[in-house]
Structure formats: structure tokens, C-alpha cells
Amino acid sequence: MTSPTPLIAGNWKMNGVAASLAEAQAVAAGIENSKARVAICPPATLVARAAAALGGGKVLVGGQDCRAETSGAFTGDIAAEMLADAGASLVILGHSERRAGYGETDEVVAAKVGAALRAGLEPIVCVGETLAEREAGDALSVVTGQVRGSLPAELAGKAFCVAYEPVWAIGTGLTPTTPQIEEVHIAIRAALVEAFGDHGKSVAILYGGSVKPSNAAEILAAAEVGGALVGGASLKAQDFLGIINAI
């Protein structure tokens, strides 16, 4: 069994202009022999400039979404090939903000995963339950169902990550307990092994949802946690480095 290589990825969401690239460069300069791969996913307007500013060094660049099609009359959308052409090497797919705000189903997410693979991008596929689903006792069934529905068979043998982000913890300051995180990550691992055999054992499972320097070490030490998908705390180099260097 190959141990998953941890990944700490920053999701800037709809934040950042050219001046913000100084924070990304400060992250690259401040990494201290991290055991993890590090990525920053800026808005699409900054992907090419981030790739140029970071120069293929310690910090990878990713996109925040892509369209399943290669091209066409889809005003405002971005193809996976466009992200790759701009210098991205990863892409976040199926984030709860896309699922809830744009009606993305598991089937839509799976099609986007296929597009990412087609373009040579590593998908970071997000899953997670709402507060109502957790309170109803459905967290594990919801999350494992999303894993099965959002990860197409063509991922077998390919590089990808799964990010568990409880919807109720994103941007709220609320964080599940360590046992709650471990329970879901262990269930995700079982679903990955069921779907992909031994390859499923080497897929990093990231945790996301109000990750910050003060709680990063405890979260990253939890069973089956192979990194973090970080929102607001990734916008400032000092905060993001506190998470990166906690692993």
C-alpha cells in the first residue's frame, strides 16, 4: 500500500486581484520542508498570472471549476483545457457552493471529473453533508453516496483527491469534532477501496471547513486525513503557512 501524499490546497473563491499574488509568492517563500504538496486555486482571472508568478516551484496552481465540454456556446464558463493552458495542474470540482448554488448533481460533477482527466488536470472532488442531513443521522450515507456518484470509473489509476467539507462548517467557524471527522474519512476510504481497489488506498482525503492555524495540527493528525482544503485562511500567507507547516 502506498501512503497518500498529503495536499494542502487553498481555495481563494471569488477573492483576489493582481496585488494578491504577493500573498501566493509569500506562501512559496515560507514553506519549511513541508511533507505535503501545496496548491493555491485563485479565481480564473489569476490562474495564468499565478502560474507565472510561482514559476512551477513549491506551490501548484489550480482552478476552482470547469465545464465538462471542451468548447462551445457557454458564456462565462471555462473548459478544463483552458485551465491547463493557463498553467493549472489541479481543479476543484463539486464544491458545495457549486452543488447548492448552481444545482450541480453527482452526475454533473462526474462529467467534470472526466473533463479534468481529459485535460491532464488532477481533480479535487468535494463531498459533504448539510446540517439537516447530519442531524437526521444521514451524514455517512450522503457523503459515501456522493463519493460513488461523483467519481467515474475512469479515475482508476489516475491522480485525484477527495475533499470532505461538511457544508455546515464552511465559513461558519464551526468545526466537527475529531471523532466526527475520522468517522467520515474512514467511511470515504472504504468507499474508495470498494470502487478502486488498492488504488483507493493511495488517494488523499482532504478535510475542509473552517480550517485555521489554531486547529490545523489536530485535524491533520486525525485518522485518514490526508491534507486540507482551506478557504478564508488561505488568503493570507501567514495564516496559510501556519496550516501548511502544521503537517
Side-chain angles (χ1 to χ4, degrees), residues 24-115:
Q25 290 173 311
V27 169
I31 294 174
E32 301 171 356
N33 301 315
S34 176
K35 299 175 183 177
R37 295 186 299 150
V38 177
I40 288 177
C41 302
T45 53
L46 291 180
V47 169
R49 283 179 282 183
L54 294 169
K58 296 178 180 178
V59 179
L60 304 170
V61 176
Q64 296 179 15
D65 184 44
C66 72
R67 183 91 188 184
E69 292 82 359
T70 57
S71 61
F74 305 109
T75 301
D77 285 350
I78 298 172
E81 286 80 1
M82 293 174 177
L83 289 173
D85 182 62
S89 55
L90 311 96
V91 61
I92 299 168
L93 298 172
H95 193 281
S96 66
E97 292 161 2
R98 300 292 312 178
R99 291 179 185 263
Y102 297 86
E104 292 190 3
T105 62
D106 291 343
E107 292 75 16
V108 168
V109 176
K112 291 184 175 189
V113 170

Side-chain angles (χ1 to χ4, degrees), residues 111-164:
K112 291 184 175 189
V113 170
L117 294 179
R118 183 186 67 218
L121 299 176
E122 178 181 344
I124 302 172
V125 185
C126 301
V127 297
E129 82 284 1
T130 65
L131 183 58
E133 289 166 338
R134 172 159 284 278
E135 290 179 340
D138 295 331
L140 295 185
S141 62
V142 167
V143 170
T144 56
Q146 289 175 341
V147 170
R148 295 185 184 97
S150 302
L151 302 180
E154 61 198 289
L155 278 170
K158 304 292 177 59
F160 71 97
C161 299
V162 173
Y164 168 55

Side-chain angles (χ1 to χ4, degrees), residues 143-145 147-148 151 186-197:
V143 170
T144 56
V147 170
R148 295 185 184 97
L151 302 180
I186 289 168
I188 292 173
R189 177 66 67 205
L192 288 171
V193 172
E194 178 186 359
F196 300 106

